[in-house]
Structure formats: structure tokens, C-alpha cells
Amino acid sequence: GAVVSQHPSWVICKSGTSVKIECRSLDFQATTMFWYRQFPKQSLMLMATSNEGSKATYEQGVEKDKFLINHASLTLSTLTVTSAHPEDSSFYICSASLPGNQPQHFGDGTRLSIL
Amino acid sequence: KQEVTQIPAALSVPEGENLVLNCSFTDSAIYNLQWFRQDPGKGLTSLLLIQSSQREQTSGRLNASLDKSSGRSTLYIAASQPGDSATYLCAAGTGGNNDMRFGAGTRLTVKP
């Protein structure tokens, strides 16, 4: 149980394009979803925390207008990288958890390459 | 703010050796501590989860311990195999949403 699906797994696009990444909890209702970014050979850095039905909480240094997060249902959160540039190229991973400080369950990640 | 550190950053051992990976965290008020494995270009595979009330967890050749008072966790791998080669990440769950703060990882290479 507790499967999180992330789509797409890999995307390559031109600079200036907006890219949407989906994160779905397949067999449970996730009140909270998290978005992380990982640059090559570095660890995961939390970008934002989203609670269903409310605005996401962004970590310091993460531009909320650049990285739009929508968590409209208990099973789906989306991250949109707006007007992506090469420096946005990274590995983006989402996770989801049940309420009550339960462990997070991670998606397989999305590799984003901006040309 | 929680800071998580992993030592060593990289480790290379011959097959069959037992080894220990270290993780330290600055804020002892954690809900849990989790160890993950990450293969190159892949997502995370959860290995062991230790709740704050627990001292250790075991799964097969893996054993993870937690000492909240000293802010430390260790991952013990017995009889290492080449297939164990990967990056191992520890993460401490803190805060109201159980925010996970990750260490930078230990890159393990097990040589045949």
C-alpha cells in the first residue's frame, strides 16, 4: 500500500516553456504533499509543503510565482515550473503522507531538462 | 532549523565487509528518522523507519539505530554485496507537517 505515482518521469523542453508535474497518491488520501528538488550529487531540498485545499507553504528562497503548486484534491498535487530556464533543470520528487505525522511516501521523481 | 549531516560522504569497501553509515541531526525533537537508498538517476527506496520512541529497526542485513539525546543515527550493513552500491540518505522528520530534512548522503561502493 501507500503508493505515490509521479508523472512524467522525464521531460525535456525548450527554455521559456512551462512544465507541469503531477503527483498522485494511488491508494490513500494524502492530506499533505511535499515537493523536493535534487541537483546532481546533492541531497533533496524541500521546496514546499501543500495541504489539500489551502495554499502551499514555500521554503525560504523558493519563488512561489516560479513554482506553482496546486493541491486541489486528496489524491493529486501538481507542480508547474513556469517559464523554465536551464538553471531549473533538476530532479523533482514529490511525497505524500497521511495525517498525524505519518511517514512520507515518495514518488519516483521527474527529471527535468531545460535546453 | 533542523540540520542533518552524513559522514562519510563516500565509502568504498570490498565485498563481504560489515560497514556503518552515520547520520547526525541538530534538533532532537524529531518524529521519526528514515533511511533511504537512491540509485543513480532514480527515486528513493525506503529502507528503515525509526519512530522517535524506538531505538532501532532491522530488516535483513540492515540495522538502523537512533539515539535522540545525542542526535545520531547509524545504518549498519552486514556482509556487504556489490548490489548494495548506491547513495544512502537519512532524513529526520520534524515540524508540524513532519517535514523531512535530508542529509547529503553517503555514496557507497562495494567492490567485488
Side-chain angles (χ1 to χ4, degrees), chain B residues 22-79:
Chain B
N22 297 290
C23 173
S24 61
F25 46 95
T26 55
D27 185 354
S28 62
I30 62 172
Y31 291 109
N32 50 53
L33 189 130
Q34 200 161 356
W35 284 91
F36 297 87
R37 169 185 174 140
Q38 186 177 31
D39 293 290
K42 303 294 184 181
L44 303 181
T45 300
S46 178
L47 298 174
L48 290 166
L49 168 69
I50 311 175
Q51 299 289 0
S52 62
S53 58
Q54 298 173 325
R55 299 279 295 186
E56 66 176 349
Q57 284 286 331
T58 299
S59 176
R61 293 183 293 108
L62 306 179
N63 175 276
S65 68
L66 174 64
D67 184 344
K68 280 179 56 179
S69 61
S70 65
R72 293 181 181 180
S73 176
T74 60
L75 178 66
Y76 175 82
I77 302 177

Side-chain angles (χ1 to χ4, degrees), chain A residues 17-101:
Chain A
T17 306
S18 292
V19 179
K20 180 184 285 189
I21 303 170
E22 292 186 349
C23 181
R24 294 180 184 273
S25 56
L26 298 185
D27 53 359
F28 68 103
Q29 294 187 323
T31 52
T32 306
M33 287 188 171
F34 305 83
W35 288 95
Y36 297 84
R37 179 169 53 185
Q38 184 179 35
F39 290 109
K41 296 188 178 181
Q42 295 186 27
S43 191
L44 277 74
M45 298 299 294
L46 179 66
M47 298 175 66
T49 302
S50 74
N51 291 295
E52 186 264 339
S54 60
K55 291 183 178 180
T57 301
Y58 290 80
E59 293 297 300
Q60 191 172 8
V62 178
E63 301 175 58
K64 60 181 66 176
D65 295 330
K66 173 77 172 176
F67 299 99
L68 302 178
I69 292 173
N70 184 280
H71 191 169
S73 78
L74 287 171
T75 59
L76 174 64
S77 176
T78 60
L79 168 67
T80 301
V81 184
T82 61
S83 187
H85 289 98
E87 57 266 30
D88 298 323
S89 298
S90 187
F91 192 53
Y92 293 86
I93 304 179
C94 73
S95 69
S97 68
L98 290 161
N101 298 317

Side-chain angles (χ1 to χ4, degrees), chain B residues 86-101:
Chain B
T87 295
Y88 290 80
L89 298 166
C90 73
T94 59
N97 284 311
N98 194 26
D99 299 348
M100 297 199 78
R101 304 293 169 169

